[in-house]
Amino acid sequence: MLIEIPQILSQDEVATVRSVVAAADVVDGKVTAGELAAQAKYNLQLPEGSAAARQAGDIILSALGRNPLFNSAALPYRVLPPLFNRYDVGMKFDAHVDGAVRAVPGPGIRMRADLSSTLFLTPPEEYDGGELVIEDSFGTHEVKLPAGHMVLYPASSLHRVNAITRGSRWASFFWTQSMIKDDGLRGLLYDLDRAIIEVRQSLNGDTHGTLSLTGVYHNLLRREAEL
Ligand code: NI
């Protein structure tokens, strides 16, 4: 399931994050790619764990924490600290699948990457090319979103970033380990959650039926969640 989440960041937060990342030193993006992905990757990145990446990443992590759509769709258990990349003219990332397991900052901790996220930081009118192209069972999707908007997609999907032909594109990207490993089950829980919210809104509150459905949602999550 591929989900666009609008306005993860406010325009003020986008401006703050952009000024922090634009002032920082960048390195070759191959440093955080596995051996295969490194051969496909041509971009620049903020060094992992740098002061700028931590400062800008914390703004994004707090925004994610208060975003109901992200929490409903991802059912996050762990979110890796956000990374930041820049694609200048000619830069691209050819088709690849993200690595399944990633090291978490700190001694010897690893996490499973269930979901990939790209949070766009540059308005689309400032650059040409640079679409994130994601393949899933429903076909190929080209994603290019306003600054502050994000796309969430299974880390298992084949994806690429088209070459930039004008301007420069900043984005944040990060991985989430979900409490629900299975994409299909996570998608059903998301649909159930959204449907309950819709019914509650149309009824202007709860009925015995909506309370029972809410119970079903939580009890399914209780049965299946891995913590
Ligand atoms: Ni990737």
Side-chain angles (χ1 to χ4, degrees), residues 37 41 87 93-99 102 116 118 132 153 155 157-161 173 175:
K41 192 174 183 185
Y87 291 82
F93 199 160
D94 291 330
H96 66 281
V97 169
D98 292 344
R102 313 214 56 111
S116 299
T118 296
L132 172 63
Y153 58 100
S157 44
L158 198 62
H159 57 277
R160 66 175 193 269
V161 175
F173 63 104
W175 293 277

Side-chain angles (χ1 to χ4, degrees), residues 22-227:
D25 291 328
V26 288
V27 296
D28 190 322
K30 294 187 198 298
V31 289
T32 54
E35 207 176 315
L36 276 176
Q39 294 169 20
K41 192 174 183 185
Y42 305 92
N43 66 3
L44 299 167
Q45 253 174 239
L46 254 57
E48 231 178 334
S50 64
R54 279 207 307 272
Q55 190 190 343
D58 284 348
I59 294 172
I60 294 172
L61 290 175
S62 353
L64 291 173
R66 58 171 195 257
N67 188 287
L69 199 50
F70 172 74
N71 285 290
S72 173
L75 294 170
Y77 173 51
R78 288 196 175 108
V79 181
L80 205 67
L83 298 168
F84 297 85
N85 60 23
R86 190 180 92 205
Y87 291 82
D88 295 337
V89 171
M91 294 183 183
K92 60 176 183 165
F93 199 160
D94 291 330
H96 66 281
V97 169
D98 292 344
V101 176
R102 313 214 56 111
V104 175
I109 309 171
R110 299 203 287 174
M111 60 170 265
R112 191 183 59 233
D114 293 318
L115 291 156
S116 299
S117 296
T118 296
L119 170 52
F120 290 77
L121 295 171
T122 306
E125 54 276 15
E126 288 185 22
Y127 62 97
D128 290 328
E131 299 84 3
L132 172 63
V133 183
I134 303 166
E135 283 178 30
D136 68 10
S137 44
F138 296 106
T140 300
H141 312 271
E142 280 202 1
V143 186
K144 187 171 186 175
L145 299 177
H149 295 220
M150 185 174 109
V151 60
L152 182 71
Y153 58 100
S156 55
S157 44
L158 198 62
H159 57 277
R160 66 175 193 269
V161 175
N162 287 340
I164 297 279
T165 55
R166 177 185 63 93
S168 191
R169 168 200 191 266
W170 275 104
S172 175
F173 63 104
F174 53 89
W175 293 277
T176 299
Q177 177 171 339
S178 178
M179 293 185 282
I180 302 293
K181 176 161 80 171
D182 183 74
D183 283 330
L185 177 58
R186 195 185 321 110
L188 285 174
L189 284 165
Y190 174 72
D191 289 343
L192 179 57
D193 187 35
R194 304 312 293 174
I196 292 169
I197 290 170
E198 205 179 302
V199 172
R200 290 185 77 241
Q201 278 170 352
S202 68
L203 295 173
N204 267 323
D206 274 309
T207 61
H208 186 265
T210 62
L211 290 172
S212 297
L213 284 171
T214 304
V216 169
Y217 173 84
H218 284 287
N219 292 332
L220 275 173
L221 189 56
R222 202 183 324 274
R223 282 174 74 112
E224 302 297 333
E226 290 174 55
L227 302 169

